Coordinates of all heavy atoms in Angstrom, one line a residue:
M1 N 0.8 -1.2 0.0 CA 0.0 0.0 0.0 C 0.9 1.2 0.0 O 2.0 1.3 0.6 CB -0.9 0.0 1.2 CG -1.9 1.2 1.2 SD -3.4 0.9 2.2 CE -2.8 1.0 3.8
N2 N 0.5 2.3 -0.7 CA 1.2 3.5 -0.8 C 0.7 4.4 0.4 O -0.4 4.4 0.8 CB 0.9 4.2 -2.1 CG 1.6 3.5 -3.2 OD1 2.7 2.9 -3.1 ND2 0.8 3.4 -4.3
Y3 N 1.7 5.2 0.9 CA 1.4 6.2 1.9 C 1.9 7.6 1.5 O 2.9 7.7 0.7 CB 2.1 5.8 3.2 CG 1.5 4.6 3.9 CD1 2.0 3.3 3.6 CD2 0.5 4.8 4.8 CE1 1.4 2.2 4.2 CE2 0.0 3.7 5.5 CZ 0.4 2.4 5.1 OH -0.1 1.3 5.7
I4 N 1.3 8.6 2.0 CA 1.8 9.9 1.8 C 1.9 10.5 3.2 O 1.1 10.4 4.1 CB 0.9 10.8 0.9 CG1 1.5 12.1 0.6 CG2 -0.5 10.9 1.4 CD1 0.8 13.0 -0.4
R5 N 3.1 11.2 3.4 CA 3.3 11.8 4.7 C 2.8 13.2 4.6 O 3.1 14.0 3.7 CB 4.8 11.8 5.0 CG 5.1 12.5 6.3 CD 6.5 12.0 6.9 NE 6.3 10.6 7.3 CZ 7.3 9.9 7.9 NH1 8.4 10.5 8.1 NH2 7.1 8.7 8.3
T6 N 2.0 13.5 5.6 CA 1.3 14.8 5.6 C 1.2 15.3 7.0 O 1.5 14.6 8.0 CB 0.0 14.8 4.9 OG1 -0.6 16.1 4.8 CG2 -1.0 14.0 5.7
R7 N 0.9 16.6 7.2 CA 0.8 17.2 8.5 C -0.6 17.7 8.8 O -1.2 18.4 7.9 CB 1.8 18.3 8.5 CG 2.1 19.0 9.9 CD 2.8 20.3 9.8 NE 4.2 20.0 9.3 CZ 5.3 19.9 10.2 NH1 5.1 20.1 11.4 NH2 6.5 19.7 9.7
C8 N -1.0 17.5 10.0 CA -2.3 18.0 10.4 C -2.4 19.5 10.4 O -1.5 20.1 11.0 CB -2.8 17.4 11.7 SG -4.3 18.1 12.4
L9 N -3.3 20.1 9.8 CA -3.5 21.5 9.8 C -3.7 22.1 11.2 O -3.3 23.2 11.4 CB -4.7 21.9 8.9 CG -4.9 23.3 8.6 CD1 -3.8 23.9 7.6 CD2 -6.3 23.5 8.0
M10 N -4.4 21.4 12.0 CA -4.8 21.9 13.3 C -3.8 21.7 14.4 O -3.5 22.6 15.2 CB -6.1 21.3 13.7 CG -7.2 21.8 12.8 SD -8.8 21.2 13.2 CE -9.2 22.1 14.7
C11 N -3.2 20.5 14.6 CA -2.3 20.2 15.7 C -0.9 20.0 15.2 O 0.0 20.0 16.1 CB -2.8 19.0 16.5 SG -2.6 17.4 15.6
G12 N -0.6 19.9 13.9 CA 0.7 19.8 13.4 C 1.3 18.4 13.5 O 2.5 18.2 13.2
K13 N 0.5 17.5 13.9 CA 1.0 16.1 13.9 C 1.3 15.5 12.5 O 0.5 15.8 11.6 CB -0.1 15.2 14.6 CG 0.4 13.8 15.0 CD -0.6 13.1 15.8 CE -1.7 12.5 15.0 NZ -2.5 11.5 15.7
I14 N 2.4 14.9 12.4 CA 2.7 14.3 11.1 C 2.2 12.9 11.0 O 2.4 12.1 11.9 CB 4.3 14.3 10.9 CG1 4.7 15.7 10.7 CG2 4.6 13.5 9.7 CD1 6.2 15.9 10.5
E15 N 1.5 12.6 10.0 CA 0.8 11.3 9.8 C 1.1 10.7 8.4 O 1.2 11.4 7.5 CB -0.7 11.4 10.0 CG -1.2 11.4 11.4 CD -2.6 10.9 11.5 OE1 -3.1 10.3 10.6 OE2 -3.1 11.0 12.6
D16 N 1.2 9.4 8.4 CA 1.3 8.7 7.1 C -0.1 8.3 6.7 O -0.7 7.5 7.4 CB 2.2 7.5 7.2 CG 3.7 7.9 7.4 OD1 4.1 8.9 6.8 OD2 4.4 7.2 8.1
V17 N -0.6 8.9 5.6 CA -1.9 8.5 5.2 C -1.9 7.5 4.1 O -1.2 7.7 3.1 CB -2.6 9.8 4.7 CG1 -4.0 9.5 4.1 CG2 -2.7 10.9 5.8
G18 N -2.5 6.4 4.3 CA -2.5 5.3 3.4 C -3.5 5.5 2.2 O -4.4 6.4 2.3
E19 N -3.3 4.8 1.2 CA -4.1 5.0 0.0 C -5.6 4.6 0.2 O -6.5 4.9 -0.6 CB -3.6 4.3 -1.2 CG -3.4 2.8 -1.1 CD -2.7 2.2 -2.3 OE1 -2.4 2.9 -3.2 OE2 -2.4 1.0 -2.2
D20 N -5.9 3.9 1.3 CA -7.3 3.5 1.6 C -8.0 4.7 2.4 O -9.2 4.6 2.6 CB -7.4 2.2 2.3 CG -6.7 2.3 3.7 OD1 -5.8 3.2 3.9 OD2 -6.9 1.4 4.5
H21 N -7.2 5.7 2.7 CA -7.8 6.8 3.5 C -8.7 7.6 2.5 O -8.4 7.8 1.3 CB -6.7 7.7 4.1 CG -7.2 8.7 5.1 ND1 -7.8 9.9 4.7 CD2 -7.2 8.7 6.4 CE1 -8.1 10.6 5.8 NE2 -7.7 9.9 6.8
Q22 N -9.8 8.2 3.0 CA -10.7 8.9 2.2 C -10.1 10.2 1.6 O -10.5 10.6 0.5 CB -12.0 9.3 3.0 CG -11.7 10.1 4.2 CD -13.0 10.5 4.9 OE1 -14.1 10.3 4.4 NE2 -12.8 11.1 6.1
D23 N -9.1 10.7 2.2 CA -8.5 12.0 1.8 C -7.3 11.7 0.9 O -6.7 12.7 0.4 CB -8.1 12.9 2.9 CG -9.3 13.5 3.6 OD1 -10.4 13.5 3.0 OD2 -9.2 13.9 4.8
Y24 N -6.9 10.5 0.7 CA -5.6 10.2 0.1 C -5.6 10.8 -1.4 O -4.6 11.4 -1.7 CB -5.3 8.7 0.0 CG -4.0 8.3 -0.6 CD1 -2.8 8.4 0.1 CD2 -4.0 7.9 -2.0 CE1 -1.6 8.1 -0.5 CE2 -2.8 7.6 -2.6 CZ -1.6 7.7 -1.9 OH -0.4 7.3 -2.4
S25 N -6.6 10.5 -2.1 CA -6.6 11.0 -3.5 C -6.5 12.5 -3.6 O -6.0 13.1 -4.5 CB -7.8 10.5 -4.2 OG -9.0 10.9 -3.6
K26 N -7.1 13.2 -2.6 CA -7.1 14.6 -2.6 C -5.7 15.1 -2.2 O -5.2 16.1 -2.8 CB -8.1 15.2 -1.6 CG -9.5 15.2 -2.1 CD -10.5 15.9 -1.2 CE -11.0 15.0 -0.1 NZ -11.8 15.7 0.8
L27 N -5.0 14.4 -1.3 CA -3.7 14.8 -0.8 C -2.6 14.6 -1.9 O -1.7 15.4 -1.9 CB -3.4 14.0 0.4 CG -4.2 14.4 1.7 CD1 -4.0 13.3 2.8 CD2 -3.8 15.7 2.2
I28 N -2.8 13.7 -2.8 CA -1.8 13.5 -3.8 C -2.0 14.3 -5.1 O -1.2 14.3 -6.0 CB -1.6 12.0 -4.2 CG1 -2.9 11.4 -4.7 CG2 -1.1 11.2 -3.0 CD1 -2.7 10.1 -5.4
D29 N -3.2 15.0 -5.1 CA -3.5 15.7 -6.3 C -2.9 17.1 -6.3 O -3.4 17.9 -5.5 CB -5.0 15.8 -6.4 CG -5.5 16.4 -7.8 OD1 -4.6 16.9 -8.5 OD2 -6.7 16.3 -8.1
P30 N -1.9 17.4 -7.1 CA -1.2 18.7 -7.0 C -2.1 19.8 -7.6 O -1.9 21.0 -7.3 CB 0.0 18.5 -7.9 CG -0.3 17.4 -8.8 CD -1.3 16.5 -8.1
Q31 N -3.1 19.4 -8.3 CA -4.0 20.5 -8.9 C -5.0 21.0 -7.8 O -5.5 22.1 -7.8 CB -4.9 19.9 -10.0 CG -4.1 19.3 -11.1 CD -3.1 20.3 -11.8 OE1 -3.5 21.5 -12.0 NE2 -1.9 20.0 -12.1
K32 N -5.3 20.1 -6.9 CA -6.3 20.5 -5.8 C -5.7 20.2 -4.5 O -6.1 19.2 -3.8 CB -7.6 19.7 -6.0 CG -8.4 20.2 -7.2 CD -9.6 19.3 -7.4 CE -9.3 18.2 -8.4 NZ -10.4 17.2 -8.6
P33 N -4.7 20.9 -4.0 CA -4.1 20.7 -2.7 C -5.2 20.9 -1.6 O -5.9 21.9 -1.6 CB -3.0 21.7 -2.6 CG -3.3 22.7 -3.5 CD -4.1 22.2 -4.6
S34 N -5.3 19.9 -0.7 CA -6.3 20.1 0.3 C -5.6 20.0 1.7 O -4.6 19.3 1.8 CB -7.4 19.0 0.2 OG -6.9 17.7 0.5
A35 N -6.2 20.6 2.6 CA -5.6 20.6 4.0 C -6.0 19.2 4.6 O -7.1 18.7 4.4 CB -6.2 21.7 4.8
F36 N -5.0 18.7 5.3 CA -5.3 17.4 6.0 C -5.5 17.7 7.5 O -4.8 18.5 8.1 CB -4.1 16.5 5.9 CG -4.2 15.2 6.7 CD1 -5.0 14.2 6.3 CD2 -3.5 15.1 7.9 CE1 -5.2 13.1 7.1 CE2 -3.6 14.0 8.7 CZ -4.4 13.0 8.3
I37 N -6.6 17.1 8.0 CA -6.9 17.2 9.5 C -6.9 15.7 10.0 O -7.6 14.9 9.4 CB -8.2 17.9 9.7 CG1 -8.1 19.4 9.2 CG2 -8.6 17.9 11.2 CD1 -9.4 20.2 9.3
C38 N -6.1 15.5 11.0 CA -6.1 14.1 11.6 C -7.4 13.7 12.2 O -8.2 14.5 12.5 CB -4.9 14.0 12.5 SG -5.2 14.8 14.1
D39 N -7.5 12.4 12.5 CA -8.8 11.9 13.0 C -9.1 12.5 14.3 O -10.3 12.8 14.6 CB -8.7 10.4 13.2 CG -8.7 9.6 11.8 OD1 -9.1 10.3 10.8 OD2 -8.3 8.5 11.8
M40 N -8.1 12.7 15.2 CA -8.3 13.3 16.5 C -9.0 14.7 16.4 O -9.9 15.0 17.0 CB -7.0 13.3 17.2 CG -7.1 13.3 18.7 SD -5.5 13.2 19.5 CE -4.8 14.8 19.1
C41 N -8.4 15.5 15.5 CA -8.9 16.9 15.4 C -10.2 16.9 14.7 O -11.1 17.6 15.0 CB -7.9 17.7 14.6 SG -6.4 18.0 15.5
R42 N -10.4 15.9 13.7 CA -11.6 15.8 13.0 C -12.8 15.5 14.0 O -13.8 16.1 13.9 CB -11.5 14.7 12.0 CG -12.5 14.9 10.8 CD -12.4 13.6 10.0 NE -11.1 13.4 9.4 CZ -10.8 13.8 8.2 NH1 -11.6 14.5 7.4 NH2 -9.6 13.6 7.7
N43 N -12.5 14.6 14.9 CA -13.5 14.2 15.9 C -13.8 15.4 16.8 O -15.0 15.6 17.1 CB -13.0 13.0 16.7 CG -13.1 11.7 15.9 OD1 -13.7 11.6 14.9 ND2 -12.3 10.8 16.3
R44 N -12.8 16.1 17.1 CA -13.0 17.3 18.0 C -13.8 18.3 17.3 O -14.8 18.9 17.9 CB -11.7 17.8 18.4 CG -11.8 18.8 19.6 CD -10.4 19.1 20.2 NE -9.6 19.7 19.2 CZ -8.3 19.8 19.3 NH1 -7.7 19.4 20.3 NH2 -7.6 20.4 18.4
V45 N -13.5 18.6 16.0 CA -14.3 19.6 15.3 C -15.8 19.2 15.2 O -16.7 20.0 15.4 CB -13.7 19.8 13.9 CG1 -14.6 20.6 13.0 CG2 -12.3 20.5 14.0
R46 N -16.0 17.9 14.9 CA -17.3 17.4 14.7 C -18.1 17.5 16.0 O -19.2 17.9 16.1 CB -17.3 15.9 14.3 CG -18.6 15.4 13.8 CD -18.5 14.0 13.4 NE -17.5 13.7 12.4 CZ -16.8 12.6 12.2 NH1 -17.0 11.7 13.0 NH2 -16.0 12.5 11.2
Y47 N -17.4 17.2 17.1 CA -18.0 17.3 18.4 C -18.4 18.7 18.8 O -19.5 19.0 19.2 CB -17.1 16.7 19.5 CG -17.6 16.9 20.9 CD1 -18.6 16.0 21.4 CD2 -17.1 17.9 21.7 CE1 -19.0 16.1 22.7 CE2 -17.6 18.0 23.0 CZ -18.6 17.1 23.5 OH -19.0 17.3 24.8
E48 N -17.5 19.7 18.5 CA -17.8 21.0 18.8 C -18.9 21.6 18.0 O -19.8 22.3 18.4 CB -16.5 21.9 18.6 CG -15.6 21.7 19.8 CD -14.2 22.4 19.5 OE1 -14.1 23.0 18.5 OE2 -13.4 22.2 20.4
S49 N -19.0 21.2 16.7 CA -20.1 21.7 15.8 C -21.4 21.1 16.2 O -22.4 21.7 16.1 CB -19.8 21.5 14.3 OG -19.6 20.1 14.1
D50 N -21.3 19.8 16.7 CA -22.6 19.3 17.2 C -23.1 20.0 18.5 O -24.3 20.2 18.6 CB -22.4 17.8 17.6 CG -22.3 16.9 16.4 OD1 -22.7 17.4 15.3 OD2 -22.0 15.7 16.6
E51 N -22.1 20.4 19.3 CA -22.5 21.1 20.5 C -23.2 22.5 20.1 O -24.1 22.9 20.7 CB -21.3 21.4 21.4 CG -20.7 20.2 22.1 CD -21.7 19.7 23.2 OE1 -21.9 20.5 24.1 OE2 -22.2 18.6 23.1
Q52 N -22.6 23.1 19.1 CA -23.1 24.4 18.7 C -24.5 24.3 18.0 O -25.3 25.2 18.1 CB -22.1 25.1 17.7 CG -20.9 25.7 18.4 CD -19.8 26.1 17.5 OE1 -20.0 26.1 16.3 NE2 -18.7 26.5 18.0
R53 N -24.7 23.1 17.4 CA -26.0 23.0 16.7 C -27.1 22.7 17.7 O -28.3 22.9 17.4 CB -25.9 21.8 15.7 CG -26.7 22.0 14.5 CD -26.4 20.9 13.5 NE -25.0 20.8 13.1 CZ -24.3 19.7 12.9 NH1 -24.8 18.6 13.2 NH2 -23.0 19.7 12.5
K54 N -26.8 22.3 18.9 CA -27.9 22.0 19.9 C -28.6 23.4 20.2 O -27.9 24.4 20.4 CB -27.3 21.4 21.1 CG -27.0 20.0 21.0 CD -26.4 19.4 22.2 CE -25.8 18.0 22.0 NZ -25.0 17.6 23.1
P55 N -29.9 23.4 20.3 CA -30.5 24.6 20.7 C -30.2 25.0 22.2 O -30.0 24.1 23.0 CB -32.0 24.3 20.6 CG -32.1 22.8 20.6 CD -30.8 22.3 20.1
K56 N -30.0 26.2 22.4 CA -29.6 26.7 23.7 C -30.8 26.6 24.6 O -31.9 27.0 24.2 CB -29.1 28.1 23.7 CG -27.7 28.2 23.1 CD -27.1 29.6 23.4 CE -25.6 29.6 23.0 NZ -25.4 29.5 21.5
K57 N -30.6 26.2 25.8 CA -31.7 26.1 26.8 C -32.0 27.5 27.2 O -31.1 28.3 27.6 CB -31.3 25.3 28.0 CG -31.3 23.8 27.7 CD -30.7 23.0 28.9 CE -30.5 21.6 28.6 NZ -29.7 20.9 29.6
P58 N -33.3 27.9 27.3 CA -33.6 29.2 27.8 C -33.4 29.3 29.3 O -33.6 28.3 30.0 CB -35.2 29.3 27.5 CG -35.6 27.9 27.3 CD -34.4 27.1 26.9
I59 N -32.8 30.3 29.7 CA -32.5 30.5 31.1 C -33.6 31.1 31.9 O -34.2 32.0 31.5 CB -31.2 31.4 31.3 CG1 -30.0 30.7 30.5 CG2 -30.8 31.5 32.8 CD1 -28.8 31.6 30.4
Ligands
ZN101 ZN1 -4.6 17.0 14.4

């Protein structure tokens, strides 16, 4: 399997992304460079946006 070494945009962690990763084809495409965000940061972003989507309780 092929890997590409990339760096997480948010935490700076260096990761080897395998070709079975959903972002691999985007990461190797020089025409469309895309930012890589590691699973840990991705989960955190998803969690935070879920929190923001919840309706605020009236005080
Ligand atoms: Zn990260």
Side-chain angles (χ1 to χ4, degrees):
M1 184 155 75
N2 293 318
Y3 289 89
I4 185 171
R5 180 156 289 183
T6 189
R7 187 191 293 263
C8 172
L9 184 73
M10 293 181 70
C11 70
K13 190 173 80 168
I14 291 177
E15 276 208 12
D16 290 326
V17 176
E19 60 188 352
D20 62 343
H21 191 282
Q22 57 176 351
D23 288 342
Y24 181 82
S25 59
K26 282 189 276 178
L27 290 166
I28 60 166
D29 188 348
Q31 304 299 319
K32 290 175 265 174
S34 71
F36 173 75
I37 298 175
C38 72
D39 288 343
M40 207 175 66
C41 294
R42 203 189 299 265
N43 288 339
R44 196 168 59 195
V45 167
R46 192 181 302 148
Y47 175 77
E48 282 173 2
S49 58
D50 281 352
E51 287 292 297
Q52 284 168 6
R53 215 174 297 137
K54 285 177 188 168
K56 287 195 170 68
K57 286 175 187 164
I59 301 167

